[in-house]
Amino acid sequence: MNTISCDAAGSLIQTSGHAAEQLQPRAFQYEMLGESLRSNIIVALIWFLAPHVELASQQAKVIEAQIPSVQTRLLTGSDGVEYWSKQCIWDTVLNGIRIVVSTHQVLLDALIHGFVQMARLSLMVFDEAHHCIADHPASRILRDFYHPCLAANNCQAPAILGLTASPVVNNKAGKLEQLESNLQAISRTPKLSREELLHHVNKPTLVRLAYPSELHDTPRSQLLLDLHQLRSSLDIEQDPFVKKLMSGPEPYDPVQLRKLKLSRKTDCQKQLKNLSTRAEIIQLELGPWAADWYIKACIRKFQQVASDDTVGLRMLDDREKVYLYECLTGLLSSIPEDDELIDDAPLSSKFLCLAEYLLSQLGMQFTGLLFVRTRAEVAVLAQLLSLHPKTKALLTVGTFVGVSSTASRKANIGDLIDVRGQIYTLDDLRFGRKNLVIATSALEEGIDVTACNTVICFEKPPNLISVIQRRGRARKSESKFVIMLAEDADQSVITTWEKLEQEMQRQYMDDMRQLQGLEALEETDEGYRVFVVEQTGAKLLLADAVSHLYHFCATLTTGPLSNRAPVFSVKSVGKDLFTTTVILPISVDASVREASSSVWKTEKAAKRDAAFEAYIQLYRAGLVSDNLLPVEAYDELVVEIQTEVAKVASLVEIAGQLNPWHLVARDWQARTNRENLSTTHCFDVSLHCNDEAVAAVQMILPCNLPVLPTIPLYWDARTMFRSIISPRSASASQSTHPHVAAQSTALLLRSVFRYRMNVEATDFVAFFLPGESENPLQWTQQYVGTIKSEELKPFDVSTLPLNKLGMARSMSQGGLAHVVRGFQIGSLEVPATERQSTERDEAGFYLQVSKFPKRTDFLHKVSEQDEQTPAQHYTTLLKAEDCEIDKLPIGYAYFAAIVPCVMHQVGISLIGAHLCNTLLAPASIENLELVLTAITTSAAQEPTNYQRQEFLGDSVLKFLTSLTLTSDHLRWPEGHLSRAKDHIVSNASLAKAALAIGLDKFIITKPFTGSKWRPLYVADQLGKPTGQPRLLSTKTLADVVEALIGAAFLDGGFRKAIELIKIFLRKPAWSMVEDSNEILHTTHQASESSIICPHHFVQLEELVGYNFTLKSLALEALTDSSYMGPNVTTSYERLEFLGDTCLDIIVATTSFNHEPPIRTHGLHLIRSAVVNADFLAFLSLTLCISVPRATITTGNRKNDVSVSQALVPLHLWNFMRHASPTVRHAQQGVIERYESLETSILESLQRGSNIPWALLARLGAPKFLSDIIESVVGAIYIDSHGSLTACEAFLERLGVMGYLRRLLDGGVALYHPKEELGQLADTETVRYEVFREEGEEKRFGCVVRVGEREVAKVGDGLCAMEVETRAAEEAVRLLKGERGDAARKRKFE
């Protein structure tokens, strides 16, 4: 077993001050190890537990350094342990680990949720084991898990090793037995090696340092007196908080206001009181000068940070900061700025006594610790000792206060210590850079501090454990432990401590005491209940129920303005008897929203019991996992992230592209009839130019082809061919012998590719034969070979049909191929525009020719600029005697040249067809072109690629996922639904699914060039099922999946889209749209009877333009999560979740179907603009109806009463149901801004050339305004049994569809200014520097820099996003203007 030896004080014995050096075990440490092997001992793994993170981190480093062969892992909250919500996470984290170091709470939580079993541990080490009492997490580990494991016959309990300098936490020696009982252990110090222990563990000399008591006439701090006077003279009604309550929009309870005035417990008053209280302590302990310095230092620090929101004091608003600033600044007006500490400065006798003692102890090796009670004393003492004339040259002072508490502490103007400055304090002490550290009690326990020769307690230690812990720091030889006491103080407390310590030492030495059996866990008056999940062993204990319930509620993603905490209602049912009902947030399903307790004697117990019952309800409803944690739906991705296992890389290696001709070769190989081509498939392939036939052949394949579109072929920048491939039911050519077919194919291809062909091979993957009217054998025999050009001379060359001639080949140029354009005989003038032959014979016979193109890629356009001066556009003269002419007519040569293109297109079609017939067969997609588009990347440079279909498929997938999840999980809150959807539609999930089913080999990435094309032979292709492995981004893999979903949707609507999704994603259990719609409608219909329709409901229906069959849906769509009133099912979040994707699919399909088609990037920009929360919120504010309101006027005469009607607007947000003042204030604030911005925003939306991004940002609409738009869409969708048309009608009424059409029609710049600026900046960095402007009102400004240049600066903004957007707009305008000027200048130059 691997162990670490420790001394009786629980500290590792080191040979030097360097923690990294090898530890040397002593004899007494081996003795303690031997005792630990015989029984559980309280001294010094394999789960090492420490009371706080700093100590755990320190111990882990030491263990890793001393036992490097064993894997050690430190687990703390910073590792995100609270997110490890699956057993597989813990199994992965602990796999191969032998030693785990953590705080007690980490192990306790893991045991509670069943992630770690007690029987799995072989040893638990409790550092600072004196914490193992009462309800401390250390004690709970033992009580709730260790002892039940001991009692179980089939459970192997771990050994226990405790480490502590003193097993007590108070002055009662009897607590030792309780600690031993909890640990099932005996307290021991070594006896056999006690002499060696005493040699290594030095007990310091106790020094009682007495100082004179202060006289009654001691001077007092004038600044402290002024501070007291300031506090008493302040008018509480002028306090900013009181003024805010008195002048606020809502009436404040006068009783509470009166109490507040009497108590004076405002934040400003608390700050001043806290400062004066600390200053009083400083004056009492250190003297008037110290108090004056402390107050001045606090005020100066406050003056520096008061205007900075990023530095503390966030609980104070701006008015309170100004108020305090004015109050405190006035105190400094009569105080000199000089902080020099002179010899006769008024300091306390206690400090002077301390200073004299330190001077007496200073030497070459002095290292000391000075413990004080408060953080303020730490700061002031450090300053005093650094300034005092007698000590400043001799002492180098550091400070140390608690770190763990500062994160949650409220900032206070009395805090001077910056904990960030103490990171290296202990190292500075260890290596001699400092010789004195002033600390609070935070340095008492556990933290590794180098041995000191002087430890001073500036005040009397609070208890015995503090005495023992502090004294343990004085471990050097001849060290001193000093306790400062006033001369007239009661000395008996020290005598009492000495007697208690002697009694404990006697108990340690009593090795005859044996282990006492532990009694069964005692039930307190508040009872003991436990719920155990059999599958995992996770436990719900009564003591944990409330915290578990709060944790569950915290995971609910309600609005930022809503309270997510459970509400407990306690009821008295008799004398000293109570019951409690707990109500969870309204976003929780109504069936599990409430739970009640039994009758208990205390309110606390009843509250726990109600929480216990509520949590069990949540577990049984599937909202809590078998580990008793909130369900993290589809969190496999979270597991991968947390454990750093199986992360999906941005680039992954995928299979090489499928070789379709391998499939064709296999079909050829499988043919049994080798005498003719009767079992093959025949296709007519024709080549046309300007509607004139150039050539017609038959293509023979062993397999059928899908219907292929016409193939456009770009011969050059001026000439375009078309190739048409059509199937034939039967052909006489199919009776041809394969050998003849091979000869025909070779003849055709040799006309262009003679140097790329294998002359011995005849097993072509595709045979090409002449048209139907030709006999293949006769055709081959007729056109094989060449003729000498001179043989044409006797003929009337003017009547020779050029299209019957083959290509002319210049022998002197190595057989270079030319197209015959005509003939010339004799000395004829050649037009100047034509190229001249270099060897011209004026009386000869010449061929007028142009070069046959060498390029083989005719699928991609060639611009005239790229083509420059193509040779095929010019003619030249060749001597006839130097040329041979192919017998094969030129039309077939043209066809042979485009064979690579035809084969490529056929191959792609074969890939698509094979995909449809294999992986995608369940989806039954009929339109092959859609599939081919979906699997083609932009890198392939095909006429179409997946990008537009991916845009559509993305929306379809999100819609179907949201609909399925909503209907399958009727009790899930929106947070669960969102997390599940995000995982399902994530790129990682889709990419993983694509790779899992083998989609990657079908993805087309390689562009066709034809530059190295060679005829394809069966033997060669049989060994090439795929190409070389490729690298592809996971996003592209996911995009292809979404594009296929888009293809299925276009081919067969949602039904085929779902069938295709099922191929890739097995979870969730995908339902047909009609089934999901019916489930949702039926579920809401069941709750309809419990809802009472409000009287103003008709107006709501008029407002949205839809009559609801299920009235409860409309109410739910407008119910905020803060609402706690009656007549409610749940809040709007679930409807908003569904409505969001309904809106998205409507916008996406409308945009996709627009004619002319919108390019992909434009589609994304348009969708982003239309579903933007700020835009929807603005439309939400504009949606209103006018309702009549009566006005009654009374005249002077009797019965002189007139009634008039006025129309007032009624907005959608008026129907929101909530119980939050914050929501109400947010509504009021946005309405004020809306009234000032409405005209400008409407003008821009209706006629502007840009989207009003900055104005919408200035509006600052709260998110709930856009949320209710989406929730109303979701409500209409469910009520209408899934009619997207009904949803679209509402969006039309709202103005969404009208603006969408305006964007689709063009004329509006789509880019957000920040995005456009990023493009203009190119490679330069764009930085936005937001700042607060001076003034009473909260205003923002922004400077935008491109590179190091300040391009634009704006101000008077209401929020950071507004000024950033405006600054970007200004920068874009400026940069465009500069570039336009530069372009005009270049033009004139």
Side-chain angles (χ1 to χ4, degrees):
M1 179 178 70
N2 296 300
T3 63
I4 298 178
S5 301
C6 295
D7 66 0
S11 301
L12 298 176
I13 301 300
Q14 298 177 199
T15 56
S16 76
H18 299 274
E21 295 186 10
Q22 190 69 26
L23 300 184
Q24 301 295 326
R26 306 297 181 185
F28 72 88
Q29 294 173 323
Y30 283 118
E31 178 188 341
M32 301 308 297
L33 176 59
E35 288 286 342
S36 71
L37 296 177
R38 290 191 291 273
S39 60
N40 294 339
I41 303 296
I42 304 179
V43 262
L45 158 42
I46 292 225
W47 199 294
F48 197 107
L49 297 157
H52 50 79
V53 174
E54 292 88 349
L55 181 54
S57 302
Q58 189 179 85
Q59 297 289 25
K61 291 177 181 178
V62 173
I63 292 172
E64 289 173 342
Q66 300 304 316
I67 319 177
S69 61
V70 175
Q71 288 197 55
T72 302
R73 171 153 285 176
L74 172 67
L75 298 181
T76 66
S78 62
D79 296 315
V81 179
E82 65 270 24
Y83 300 115
W84 298 357
S85 57
K86 290 286 187 181
Q87 184 67 50
C88 56
I89 302 178
W90 285 90
D91 291 344
T92 304
V93 169
L94 299 181
N95 183 35
I97 301 299
R98 294 292 304 278
I99 303 174
V100 178
V101 185
S102 76
T103 58
H104 302 104
Q105 191 66 49
V106 169
L107 177 57
L108 177 60
D109 289 342
L111 289 167
I112 287 174
H113 297 296
F115 295 129
V116 175
Q117 306 297 324
M118 184 61 68
R120 184 177 178 181
L121 307 181
S122 60
L123 173 67
M124 285 193 297
V125 180
F126 289 86
D127 199 4
E128 307 298 339
H130 51 268
H131 289 292
C132 297
I133 60 172
D135 277 335
H136 191 277
S139 177
R140 292 187 57 193
I141 291 172
L142 297 165
R143 183 188 69 203
D144 296 334
F145 296 94
Y146 174 70
H147 287 290
C149 184
L150 279 178
N153 294 328
N154 59 346
C155 181
Q156 180 63 43
I160 300 290
L161 184 61
L163 304 172
T164 182
S166 173
V168 297
V169 291
N170 55 35
N171 296 348
K172 298 180 181 179
K175 286 293 183 181
L176 177 61
E177 285 77 11
Q178 179 185 352
L179 181 61
E180 289 182 322
S181 175
N182 288 346
L183 284 165
Q184 193 78 8
I186 296 175
S187 300
R188 283 286 185 271
T189 57
K191 292 185 63 179
L192 303 179
S193 307
R194 182 170 178 78
E195 183 177 351
E196 184 179 2
L197 169 65
L198 295 177
H199 176 74
H200 288 285
V201 180
N202 300 292
K203 187 175 181 179
T205 302
L206 176 63
V207 177
R208 306 181 191 189
L209 183 61
Y211 58 88
S213 300
E214 299 294 335
L215 301 177
H216 294 293
D217 58 349
T218 301
R220 291 181 59 80
S221 162
Q222 183 59 47
L223 202 50
L224 179 57
L225 293 174
D226 294 343
L227 180 58
H228 287 317
Q229 177 63 31
L230 171 66
R231 287 184 57 213
S232 61
S233 65
L234 289 177
D235 183 357
I236 191 61
E237 294 195 0
Q238 297 304 312
D239 188 285
F241 183 68
V242 175
K243 292 174 68 176
K244 179 180 178 181
L245 293 179
M246 295 174 65
S247 61
E250 296 184 8
Y252 194 77
D253 186 348
V255 176
Q256 296 296 326
L257 183 60
R258 185 163 58 253
K259 288 182 179 180
L260 180 64
K261 291 180 179 179
L262 291 174
S263 67
R264 303 176 72 88
K265 291 183 178 179
T266 66
D267 285 338
C268 289
Q269 292 290 334
K270 289 177 183 177
Q271 292 285 344
L272 293 173
K273 181 180 179 180
N274 182 280
L275 178 61
S276 62
T277 300
R278 295 188 182 191
E280 284 283 3
I281 296 174
I282 297 298
Q283 178 174 259
L284 178 64
E285 299 290 342
L286 300 174
W289 189 95
D292 281 345
W293 180 88
Y294 172 69
I295 296 172
K296 286 191 290 184
C298 290
I299 294 175
R300 289 167 182 166
K301 181 179 179 182
F302 173 70
Q303 290 173 331
Q304 293 174 356
V305 305
S307 60
D308 189 350
D309 280 342
T310 65
V311 183
L313 300 176
R314 294 184 181 89
M315 82 292 290
L316 299 176
D317 64 23
D318 291 344
R319 292 185 178 87
E320 289 172 323
K321 290 180 183 179
V322 171
Y323 179 75
L324 277 178
Y325 186 95
E326 293 174 348
C327 292
L328 294 173
T329 302
L331 289 177
L332 298 181
S333 58
S334 59
I335 302 297
E337 290 291 328
D338 187 14
D339 287 335
E340 184 180 357
L341 182 59
I342 57 179
D343 288 336
D344 58 348
L347 297 170
S348 69
S349 57
K350 186 176 184 180
F351 171 77
L352 296 175
C353 178
L354 170 67
E356 291 296 333
Y357 183 79
L358 287 172
L359 289 173
S360 69
Q361 300 299 310
L362 287 175
M364 292 295 294
Q365 300 297 325
F366 173 79
T367 53
L369 291 179
L370 175 58
F371 284 98
V372 299
R373 186 169 63 248
T374 66
R375 298 160 67 92
E377 290 174 90
V378 171
V380 178
L381 262 173
Q383 185 71 10
L384 283 175
L385 293 173
S386 300
L387 293 177
H388 197 279
K390 294 182 179 180
T391 58
K392 65 181 181 180
L394 301 174
L395 290 175
T396 52
V397 182
T399 61
F400 193 95
V401 297
V403 176
S404 59
S405 62
T406 55
S408 58
R409 299 172 60 98
K410 290 185 176 180
N412 195 293
I413 61 176
D415 280 335
L416 291 178
I417 295 292
D418 184 356
V419 295
R420 294 172 296 182
Q422 68 182 34
I423 297 176
Y424 304 108
T425 294
L426 299 183
D427 283 340
D428 289 344
L429 181 66
R430 177 176 290 113
F431 297 111
R433 293 188 289 268
K434 287 183 169 55
N435 57 11
L436 178 66
V437 171
I438 307 173
T440 61
S441 59
L443 207 55
E444 287 180 356
E445 182 179 70
I447 299 294
D448 182 24
V449 180
T450 189
C452 299
N453 52 27
T454 303
V455 174
I456 304 174
C457 299
F458 194 66
E459 293 98 358
K460 181 178 69 175
N463 50 46
L464 177 59
I465 190 65
S466 290
V467 172
I468 296 174
Q469 295 280 13
R470 294 180 183 185
R471 189 184 65 187
R473 300 303 189 188
R475 299 194 301 275
K476 281 190 175 181
S477 178
E478 300 181 358
S479 58
K480 294 182 176 63
F481 178 59
V482 182
I483 298 178
M484 298 187 69
L485 294 171
E487 291 176 343
D488 55 356
D490 183 6
Q491 304 287 320
S492 61
V493 64
I494 297 181
T495 304
T496 302
W497 290 341
E498 290 175 339
K499 290 180 179 180
L500 283 171
E501 185 176 16
Q502 291 170 3
E503 172 63 17
M504 284 186 293
Q505 289 174 347
R506 186 190 67 76
Q507 293 181 5
Y508 301 156
M509 299 298 296
D510 182 14
D511 56 7
M512 298 303 295
R513 201 160 33 86
Q514 300 298 319
L515 290 173
Q516 301 176 358
L518 288 172
E519 298 178 354
L521 191 63
E522 183 181 4
E523 292 188 2
T524 65
D525 290 340
E526 295 187 356
Y528 182 83
R529 294 186 66 188
V530 60
F531 174 79
V532 181
V533 180
E534 293 184 2
Q535 294 91 324
T536 63
K539 291 183 180 180
L540 174 65
L541 304 172
L542 201 62
D544 299 321
V546 174
S547 61
H548 278 32
L549 198 60
Y550 271 91
H551 179 212
F552 171 83
C553 293
T555 64
L556 303 174
T557 54
T558 55
L561 305 180
S562 301
N563 183 14
R564 294 182 287 182
V567 176
F568 291 89
S569 176
V570 181
K571 181 181 179 182
S572 177
V573 294
K575 185 177 180 180
D576 297 328
L577 295 175
F578 303 91
T579 63
T580 295
T581 298
V582 60
I583 304 174
L584 304 185
I586 198 174
S587 55
V588 177
D589 187 76
S591 63
V592 292
R593 193 178 300 147
E594 293 188 15
S596 298
S597 72
S598 345
V599 177
W600 294 81
K601 293 182 180 180
T602 65
E603 293 183 16
K604 180 179 180 182
K607 181 179 178 180
R608 286 180 171 182
D609 192 44
F612 190 89
E613 292 294 334
Y615 210 73
I616 292 176
Q617 282 186 177
L618 294 171
Y619 170 72
R620 289 172 177 161
L623 298 176
V624 171
S625 71
D626 285 339
N627 295 110
L628 295 179
L629 288 169
V631 171
E632 291 289 342
Y634 297 91
D635 61 352
E636 290 87 349
L637 185 62
V638 176
V639 174
E640 294 172 355
I641 293 173
Q642 292 293 339
T643 60
E644 298 185 357
V645 175
K647 287 185 177 179
V648 179
S650 58
L651 280 178
V652 294
E653 184 178 278
I654 66 170
Q657 187 171 305
L658 177 68
N659 177 11
W661 300 109
H662 171 75
L663 304 175
V664 176
R666 287 196 316 179
D667 288 342
W668 280 120
Q669 189 181 42
R671 288 181 68 250
T672 58
N673 183 359
R674 301 179 183 275
E675 298 300 320
N676 56 51
L677 304 176
S678 59
T679 59
T680 59
H681 297 265
C682 182
F683 305 88
D684 285 332
V685 185
S686 58
L687 184 64
H688 303 266
C689 181
N690 299 327
D691 297 329
E692 293 183 5
V694 176
V697 301
Q698 297 179 80
M699 181 171 61
I700 306 296
L701 292 171
C703 56
N704 202 0
L705 289 180
V707 177
L708 297 175
T710 298
I711 304 173
L713 299 162
Y714 305 95
W715 190 258
D716 53 43
R718 307 174 188 177
T719 309
M720 179 177 173
F721 289 169
R722 291 180 299 109
S723 179
I724 302 174
I725 303 175
S726 55
R728 294 183 62 88
S729 58
S731 172
S733 299
Q734 290 174 281
S735 61
T736 303
H737 192 281
H739 180 69
V740 176
Q743 289 180 330
S744 172
T745 305
L747 173 63
L748 183 72
L749 296 179
R750 197 162 39 243
S751 64
V752 176
F753 303 105
R754 61 173 57 190
Y755 300 113
R756 301 184 186 183
M757 296 182 65
N758 183 349
V759 296
E760 297 179 356
T762 60
D763 56 338
F764 295 99
V765 295
F767 290 124
F768 292 98
L769 284 73
E772 180 69 19
S773 61
E774 302 280 359
N775 179 284
L777 180 59
Q778 295 176 357
W779 182 84
T780 303
Q781 293 173 346
Q782 177 182 356
Y783 292 122
V784 69
T786 62
I787 62 172
K788 292 288 186 180
S789 301
E790 290 182 324
E791 296 178 16
L792 299 176
K793 188 171 183 181
F795 298 95
D796 183 359
V797 293
S798 62
T799 62
L800 286 176
L802 298 180
N803 61 339
K804 296 296 183 179
L805 296 177
M807 285 197 293
R809 301 182 185 276
S810 173
M811 297 299 103
S812 63
Q813 299 180 30
L816 185 64
H818 297 78
V819 179
V820 179
R821 302 296 183 184
F823 302 93
Q824 293 191 29
I825 299 175
S827 55
L828 299 176
E829 290 297 330
V830 180
T833 58
E834 297 176 357
R835 295 180 181 178
Q836 304 297 312
S837 173
T838 56
E839 298 181 8
R840 183 171 179 186
D841 183 350
E842 297 295 338
F845 177 38
Y846 299 94
L847 302 183
Q848 188 177 0
V849 298
S850 61
K851 287 184 180 179
F852 194 85
K854 292 183 179 181
R855 60 187 289 260
T856 51
D857 175 16
F858 302 105
L859 294 175
H860 299 102
K861 290 182 178 181
V862 180
S863 67
E864 294 190 16
Q865 294 175 338
D866 294 337
E867 199 175 35
Q868 296 178 351
T869 56
Q872 61 265 34
H873 290 173
Y874 299 91
T875 59
T876 187
L877 296 179
L878 296 177
K879 294 167 61 175
E881 63 185 31
D882 185 44
C883 296
E884 290 182 351
I885 298 178
D886 290 348
K887 292 182 180 180
L888 185 69
I890 190 63
Y892 289 109
Y894 282 129
F895 181 85
I898 60 97
V899 163
C901 302
V902 171
M903 297 286 279
H904 173 74
Q905 293 300 105
V906 170
I908 286 180
S909 297
L910 287 172
I911 292 175
H914 188 60
L915 175 61
C916 289
N917 295 330
T918 53
L919 297 184
L920 305 187
S924 302
I925 300 177
E926 298 175 4
N927 190 333
L928 180 63
E929 286 301 306
L930 294 174
V931 174
L932 290 175
T933 296
I935 62 175
T936 303
T937 66
S938 58
Q941 300 179 22
E942 294 294 321
T944 61
N945 60 57
Y946 67 70
Q947 292 177 345
R948 272 178 48 86
Q949 283 182 200
E950 178 272 329
F951 167 81
L952 181 62
D954 172 71
S955 293
V956 172
L957 175 61
K958 288 176 180 175
F959 170 73
L960 293 175
T961 302
S962 298
L963 181 60
T964 298
L965 289 173
T966 306
S967 62
D968 281 1
H969 302 283
L970 298 171
R971 288 179 171 176
W972 274 15
E974 182 271 335
H976 289 54
L977 296 172
S978 291
R979 286 190 289 271
K981 185 195 79 171
D982 290 345
H983 172 70
I984 292 169
V985 305
S986 68
N987 285 344
S989 293
L990 297 178
K992 183 177 180 181
L995 292 172
I997 70 169
L999 176 67
D1000 48 332
K1001 66 182 179 182
F1002 293 97
I1003 299 175
I1004 300 169
T1005 58
K1006 186 176 181 180
F1008 173 77
T1009 63
S1011 59
K1012 296 182 180 181
W1013 189 88
R1014 281 170 171 74
L1016 307 179
Y1017 304 98
V1018 170
D1020 295 339
Q1021 300 305 309
L1022 284 174
K1024 300 178 181 178
T1026 62
Q1028 293 297 317
R1030 302 167 286 173
L1031 287 178
L1032 196 67
S1033 71
T1034 52
K1035 182 181 184 306
T1036 300
L1037 283 167
D1039 287 349
V1040 170
V1041 175
E1042 291 177 331
L1044 286 170
I1045 295 171
F1049 175 73
L1050 292 171
D1051 191 67
F1054 289 126
R1055 182 185 61 81
K1056 285 194 177 182
I1058 287 180
E1059 293 298 339
L1060 189 132
I1061 292 172
K1062 288 179 181 179
I1063 297 171
F1064 292 95
L1065 303 171
R1066 296 183 179 181
K1067 292 182 180 180
W1070 299 94
S1071 303
M1072 287 295 117
V1073 171
E1074 298 78 9
D1075 297 335
S1076 296
N1077 294 340
E1078 187 60 29
I1079 291 172
L1080 292 173
H1081 191 276
T1082 303
T1083 302
H1084 283 83
Q1085 191 174 35
S1087 61
E1088 185 71 9
S1089 60
S1090 63
I1091 299 298
I1092 302 172
C1093 183
H1095 67 278
H1096 61 275
F1097 193 83
V1098 175
Q1099 295 173 335
L1100 174 59
E1101 291 183 318
E1102 180 186 352
L1103 180 64
V1104 300
Y1106 179 83
N1107 293 324
F1108 284 90
T1109 304
L1110 303 177
K1111 311 300 183 184
S1112 60
L1113 277 168
L1115 292 180
E1116 182 180 325
L1118 294 166
T1119 301
D1120 182 70
S1121 57
S1122 65
Y1123 182 72
M1124 299 297 291
N1127 202 33
V1128 64
T1129 53
T1130 186
S1131 54
Y1132 62 66
E1133 281 88 357
R1134 278 176 57 92
L1135 290 178
E1136 179 261 327
F1137 170 78
L1138 179 60
D1140 172 68
T1141 53
C1142 291
L1143 169 64
D1144 191 80
I1145 191 67
I1146 290 171
V1147 172
T1149 52
T1150 303
S1151 302
F1152 184 87
N1153 293 325
H1154 183 268
E1155 290 294 339
I1158 306 293
R1159 299 185 61 153
T1160 308
H1161 190 55
L1163 291 173
H1164 285 286
L1165 292 174
I1166 290 171
R1167 179 172 62 183
S1168 297
V1170 174
V1171 303
N1172 176 270
D1174 290 336
F1175 171 68
L1176 293 177
F1178 174 77
L1179 296 184
S1180 175
L1181 293 170
T1182 63
L1183 183 63
C1184 69
I1185 58 172
S1186 296
V1187 295
R1189 177 170 297 176
T1191 302
I1192 301 176
T1193 305
T1194 304
N1196 295 326
R1197 295 178 298 173
K1198 185 178 180 180
N1199 297 327
D1200 187 6
V1201 178
S1202 62
V1203 179
S1204 59
Q1205 294 284 344
L1207 294 177
V1208 296
L1210 185 63
H1211 296 82
L1212 182 63
W1213 60 266
N1214 293 125
F1215 290 91
M1216 273 191 68
R1217 301 195 299 173
H1218 65 86
S1220 169
T1222 309
V1223 171
R1224 182 165 60 254
H1225 293 156
Q1227 288 175 336
Q1228 293 170 348
V1230 73
I1231 288 301
E1232 292 177 3
R1233 296 189 294 274
Y1234 170 76
E1235 291 174 350
S1236 63
L1237 296 171
E1238 176 189 12
T1239 303
S1240 300
I1241 295 177
L1242 281 176
E1243 175 67 22
S1244 181
L1245 291 176
Q1246 293 169 0
R1247 285 176 284 276
S1249 58
N1250 293 279
I1251 299 172
W1253 297 112
L1255 291 174
L1256 291 172
R1258 187 175 181 84
L1259 180 63
K1263 185 176 180 295
F1264 61 73
L1265 288 175
S1266 60
D1267 286 347
I1268 61 174
I1269 293 296
E1270 295 170 339
S1271 63
V1272 169
V1273 172
I1276 293 174
Y1277 180 83
I1278 295 175
D1279 188 73
S1280 63
H1281 295 272
S1283 172
L1284 289 173
T1285 302
C1287 298
E1288 186 174 342
F1290 167 66
L1291 296 175
E1292 186 70 57
R1293 179 179 180 83
L1294 185 65
V1296 172
M1297 304 308 294
Y1299 194 60
L1300 174 59
R1301 286 190 294 272
R1302 182 162 189 261
L1303 295 182
L1304 290 172
D1305 290 340
V1308 179
L1310 299 174
Y1311 281 105
H1312 190 283
K1314 295 179 73 173
E1315 184 179 2
E1316 188 172 8
L1317 179 58
Q1319 292 183 342
L1320 289 172
D1322 197 14
T1323 59
E1324 292 188 284
T1325 303
V1326 178
R1327 288 185 293 121
Y1328 296 89
E1329 300 173 0
V1330 179
F1331 56 89
R1332 285 279 303 275
E1333 294 184 329
E1334 296 181 359
E1336 294 186 4
E1337 294 188 0
K1338 191 174 182 179
R1339 290 289 188 270
F1340 293 89
C1342 179
V1343 172
V1344 60
R1345 300 182 187 277
V1346 177
E1348 297 301 320
R1349 173 191 174 193
E1350 179 181 317
V1351 179
K1353 181 177 181 180
V1354 299
D1356 191 35
L1358 298 180
C1359 63
M1361 180 54 70
E1362 178 204 346
V1363 291
E1364 286 181 3
T1365 305
R1366 286 171 45 209
E1369 286 180 343
E1370 183 64 22
V1372 167
R1373 184 191 63 78
L1374 181 65
L1375 292 180
K1376 282 185 174 180
E1378 291 177 350
R1379 296 185 182 186
D1381 292 342
R1384 286 189 291 272
K1385 182 178 179 181
R1386 287 194 299 272
K1387 180 179 178 181
F1388 286 111
E1389 289 176 350

